[in-house]
Amino acid sequence: GTANGKRVQALGGAKNHAVVMPDADLDNAVSALMGAAFGSCGERCMAISVAVCVGDETADTVVAKLKAEIADLKVGPGTDVSNHMGPLITGEHYDKVRGYVDLGVKEGADLVADGRGLAVSGHENGFFLGPCLFDNVTADMRIHQEEIFGPVLCVVRAESEEQAMQIIDDHEYGNGTCIFTRDGEAARYFADNIKVGMVGINVPLPVPVAYHSFGGWKRSLFGDLYAYGPDSVRFYTRRKTITQRWPSGGVREKAQFSFPGRQSRELGYNRCPAVPENAMRLALLLILVAAPLASAEDAANPFAAVEVAPGIYQLGNTNEGFALNEPADFVGGGVGLLVGDEYIVMIDDVMEPT
């Protein structure tokens, strides 16, 4: 696609890690891991398939709690709402996932919970695989490197948050990740530095709400735009930026032989020399928060003026001026600035269909 000048929006594979810190609420972390690893039988791109426990004590506690929870997990037909997990999608996929469990045993990981022998009464030929839990998985094992897409949770042990993050960063996929902790500093460091596209803090499945876009990093996403949300609009449109200026009649202006100053370029307006710089800053700051000041009558008039500072007015439909913040309304909008009777500057951003 890109070789032919086309936009590409394609999701790749995933291997989502959850870091469990020693200070985390381990009961809640285990409950979250159970749902994130075994919900939908692990057949979803945001499933947590690796728990990276920091410290052996943390890992031992998490594994013991997970084993106890798995023993109470009910597997059966999806038509029975009392069941927690149903069958895998096809016989071929059942064989593939079971093959990964066999592989993990051969690679030397400890199979703490083995779901291969599960039989569901009345559905003996169904594609039912019970939840599987591996401990002491290492980063070089294939069950850690490859996406299994089934009810298989691997526990990897790390000595520090930095080591846990390095394990995640070194993986070829960077779809989603999360950290369980009560430490705000550890959470902020993790969120700021991890090389993954979607990050949760005490949230096991960090799927963003629809007005944000969905997608990962590295080999979890191909193309420069995410799925749904604002990026889905950008994918099917192209941006047009319109700059307008309407000097007052009878005002003679001097020719300008250089670009406006750095501040003027960044803020997107031409500064009137007669107006103090701090007043212009105030005007631009207030424009960003002035929408509630506009009445319904003003909003209906595209050239209505709202006074945002003494002698300084915002012009333009204020609702339309914020249109780019609303994914459902992508036709663009603009704002204007009137200082005394010297300048009116209008900036429009329009997303046109390609």
Side-chain angles (χ1 to χ4, degrees), residues 6 12 71 81 100-101 116 133 136 144 168 186 218 227 239 279 294-295 306 315 331 336 341 345 352:
K6 304 294 184 181
V81 295
Y100 272 111
V101 179
R116 292 175 294 180
L133 175 65
N136 292 304
H144 173 261
I168 299 170
K218 298 181 281 189
R239 183 183 299 271
S295 66
V306 178
L315 291 98
V331 296
D341 59 358
V345 180
E352 289 190 343

Side-chain angles (χ1 to χ4, degrees), residues 270-285:
N270 293 325
R271 184 161 62 89
C272 174
V275 180
E277 186 172 292
N278 60 351
M280 294 298 289
R281 285 181 175 175
L282 174 63
L284 266 293
L285 175 63

Side-chain angles (χ1 to χ4, degrees), residues 20 116 126 132 172 177 210 214 223 253 270 290 314 317 332:
V20 184
R116 292 175 294 180
C132 299
E172 66 172 329
T177 189
F214 176 100
E253 299 180 344
N270 293 325
Q314 176 186 343
N317 183 328

Side-chain angles (χ1 to χ4, degrees), residues 53 55-65 135 157:
C53 297
D56 285 334
E57 184 177 350
T58 303
D60 290 342
T61 303
V62 168
V63 169
K65 289 179 178 292
D135 190 11
R157 297 175 180 234

Side-chain angles (χ1 to χ4, degrees), residues 70-188:
I70 288 172
D72 293 333
L73 194 145
K74 293 180 63 178
V75 182
T79 53
D80 185 345
V81 295
S82 68
N83 289 323
H84 300 119
M85 199 172 78
L88 290 166
I89 189 66
T90 65
E92 291 80 5
H93 189 57
Y94 170 87
D95 293 337
K96 176 186 174 183
V97 176
R98 182 178 175 126
Y100 272 111
V101 179
D102 297 339
L103 176 62
V105 174
K106 292 180 182 177
E107 289 184 309
D110 297 332
L111 185 56
V112 178
D114 186 356
R116 292 175 294 180
L118 177 71
V120 177
S121 178
H123 300 275
E124 287 77 12
N125 295 322
F127 311 134
F128 292 98
L129 180 69
C132 299
L133 175 65
F134 280 106
D135 190 11
N136 292 304
V137 175
T138 57
D140 60 336
M141 293 181 180
R142 283 181 57 193
I143 58 171
H144 173 261
Q145 294 175 345
E146 300 175 14
E147 183 175 21
I148 299 174
F149 214 71
V152 180
L153 178 62
C154 299
V155 174
V156 177
R157 297 175 180 234
E159 296 180 358
S160 64
E161 181 184 17
E162 290 78 8
Q163 186 184 11
M165 292 173 63
Q166 193 63 54
I167 291 170
I168 299 170
D169 289 345
D170 288 344
H171 203 282
E172 66 172 329
Y173 296 129
N175 195 48
T177 189
C178 68
I179 185 172
F180 293 100
T181 182
R182 289 192 176 104
D183 187 337
E185 182 180 4
R188 176 61 62 86

Side-chain angles (χ1 to χ4, degrees), residues 20 24-34 61-62 65 69 182:
V20 184
D25 182 331
L26 296 185
D27 287 331
N28 281 331
V30 166
S31 293
L33 287 173
M34 286 292 296
T61 303
V62 168
K65 289 179 178 292
E69 290 288 333
R182 289 192 176 104

Side-chain angles (χ1 to χ4, degrees), residues 256-277:
Q256 296 186 12
F257 297 98
S258 61
F259 286 107
R262 177 178 63 84
Q263 181 195 10
S264 298
R265 291 198 304 274
E266 288 177 355
L267 295 177
Y269 64 89
N270 293 325
R271 184 161 62 89
C272 174
V275 180
E277 186 172 292

